[in-house]
Amino acid sequence: MGFTREQLLAFADTEVPDLIGPDCRLLFAGINPGLWTAATGAHFARPGNRFYPALYAAGITDHVIDAAEGMRAEDREALIAAGVGITNVAPRATAKASELTTTELREGGEALLARVDRVAPRVLAVLGVTAFRTAFGQPKATVGRQARGLGETAVWVLPNPSGLNAHETVSSLAAAYREAAEAAGVPLLSPP
């Protein structure tokens, strides 16, 4: 499946439902949905995004999920069964995260806090340090586990898997994601 630019642009400003099960231990929060994600309804769906290859390399999944045409029910169920959830800081789909306003990120951060309060994961992993700094008013935040959690939920800031984050590799992403998954108590496989 492929999309023309015009087809993708038709999905601007739409929202993608969260993927969160009843026993969510590790909640990944992307910055916001991209247009390909909005078109397919599957988080991190754009071909070339390194999120699912990193989950596999980290031992969080037993195969590389291909969400480019939408998430298969079996893959959705496997993530939920493992206690892995996916959401976004800001809900509005854009071509680039830089299209989001500071207000959107701050409001998204407030909504994410309410979601964490409701879902109560062991770990919230925000994928993108710049978005985290803006959304949570912490301009000096760095990548890694944050000193302050949200109640019982530990907060981690992890590298964004977008290809635009060129200095990260699948291996470096996997190492960071595995560390957060271990802290969350997600059952892990041996990395490939």
Side-chain angles (χ1 to χ4, degrees):
M1 173 191 296
F3 297 102
T4 66
R5 179 172 165 70
E6 291 74 28
Q7 287 171 324
L8 287 175
L9 288 173
F11 288 94
D13 302 328
T14 60
E15 296 184 15
V16 176
D18 294 336
L19 185 138
I20 301 175
D23 185 27
C24 181
R25 288 172 242 158
L26 173 59
L27 181 58
F28 285 105
I31 299 168
N32 74 308
L35 298 180
W36 197 290
T37 286
T40 62
H43 296 272
F44 301 104
R46 183 168 188 77
N49 189 294
R50 299 167 297 172
F51 182 71
Y52 296 112
L55 291 188
Y56 173 65
I60 296 170
T61 61
D62 65 0
H63 66 282
V64 176
I65 293 171
D66 181 358
E69 295 184 18
M71 174 108 24
R72 295 179 329 150
E74 315 79 88
D75 291 332
R76 180 183 317 274
E77 290 165 15
L79 287 169
I80 288 171
V84 175
I86 307 172
T87 189
N88 288 290
V89 174
R92 181 173 72 91
T94 61
K96 297 179 285 188
S98 60
E99 296 174 34
L100 297 171
T101 66
T102 298
T103 300
E104 283 180 287
L105 286 169
R106 288 189 180 144
E107 289 173 355
E110 290 173 15
L112 183 56
L113 292 175
R115 200 168 311 120
V116 166
D117 190 47
R118 185 183 87 251
V119 174
R122 293 179 190 165
V123 171
L124 168 65
V126 179
L127 305 181
V129 68
T130 303
F132 179 85
R133 289 172 179 161
T134 302
F136 294 97
Q138 296 186 31
K140 296 183 190 241
T142 58
V143 172
R145 185 173 183 158
Q146 303 303 294
R148 224 171 94 209
L150 303 170
E152 297 296 312
T153 300
V155 177
W156 291 65
V157 177
L158 300 177
N160 191 287
S162 166
L164 297 175
N165 190 4
H167 65 278
E168 294 292 341
T169 65
V170 168
S171 294
S172 66
L173 293 168
Y177 295 2
R178 185 174 180 92
E179 192 175 1
E182 286 173 341
V186 170
L188 297 171
L189 306 165
S190 295

